[in-house]
Amino acid sequence: MSSPMSSFPGSHQEYRTAAPAGISVLGMAAPLLDRRVLEDMERDFPDSMVVARFADDFCATLQGKLDRLGAALGGSDRVDAHDAVLSLTSSAAMVGAQRLSQTARATERQIAAGDLEAAARSLALLCGCGIETRQELQRTYLTHH
């Protein structure tokens, strides 16, 4: 994740601080899953199984979202890549998949900047994070519902 460029007083150079996608500027990885998001959602529905189905649907559709992003990046389709990564980002955030959402936002910034090559390189990281997220959701949430 990049912070805005800043100029230091008395210098004529600009410095950019950056951390890898999914890592905060303090060097700590975002948690894979924030269960509070799902717990909050459960309070909004009379039947908690609605939320469990939502989480299960997220797991079931995650690979398709990643495949769509990969195809768009492979075809250098910036518009479809942007749409695909926004879909991934928003669905990850809605289910509490913090690290995946954060990593997808970093990829979205690369796409918005027109750097499809960097975005394509980040796809392996997104896929790995997606696998870990799906496993975490299944292990810590879905097996209890």
Side-chain angles (χ1 to χ4, degrees), residues 4 11 26 31-32 39 42 71 76 85 90 92 96 100 108 122 126 130:
S11 80
L26 300 175
L32 281 173
E39 292 163 359
E42 285 178 352
S76 297
V85 78
S90 62
L100 183 59
E108 190 276 328
S122 72
L126 274 170

Side-chain angles (χ1 to χ4, degrees), residues 64-101:
K65 291 179 188 312
L66 292 165
D67 290 346
R68 178 179 171 216
L69 177 58
L73 290 170
S76 297
D77 185 338
R78 184 175 172 186
V79 172
D80 195 37
H82 193 252
D83 187 53
V85 78
L86 288 177
S87 174
L88 176 61
T89 303
S90 62
S91 62
M94 288 175 67
V95 82
Q98 286 188 328
R99 190 178 308 167
L100 183 59
S101 180

Side-chain angles (χ1 to χ4, degrees), residues 62 75 88 92 133:
L62 179 57
L88 176 61
T133 299

Side-chain angles (χ1 to χ4, degrees), residues 32-42 45 47-63 65 88 90-97 100 130-145:
L32 281 173
L33 183 64
D34 181 353
R35 285 205 37 170
R36 292 175 300 183
V37 172
L38 296 167
E39 292 163 359
D40 288 347
M41 200 183 306
E42 285 178 352
F45 293 94
D47 182 2
S48 67
M49 288 308 296
V50 170
V51 180
R53 280 192 301 274
F54 177 74
D56 191 50
D57 287 348
F58 170 81
C59 289
T61 61
L62 179 57
Q63 189 60 53
K65 291 179 188 312
L88 176 61
S90 62
S91 62
M94 288 175 67
V95 82
L100 183 59
I131 290 168
E132 290 177 351
T133 299
R134 185 174 47 233
Q135 290 170 343
E136 183 74 3
L137 265 168
Q138 290 168 337
R139 183 179 66 77
T140 65
Y141 184 75
L142 291 172
T143 57
H144 304 287
H145 287 86

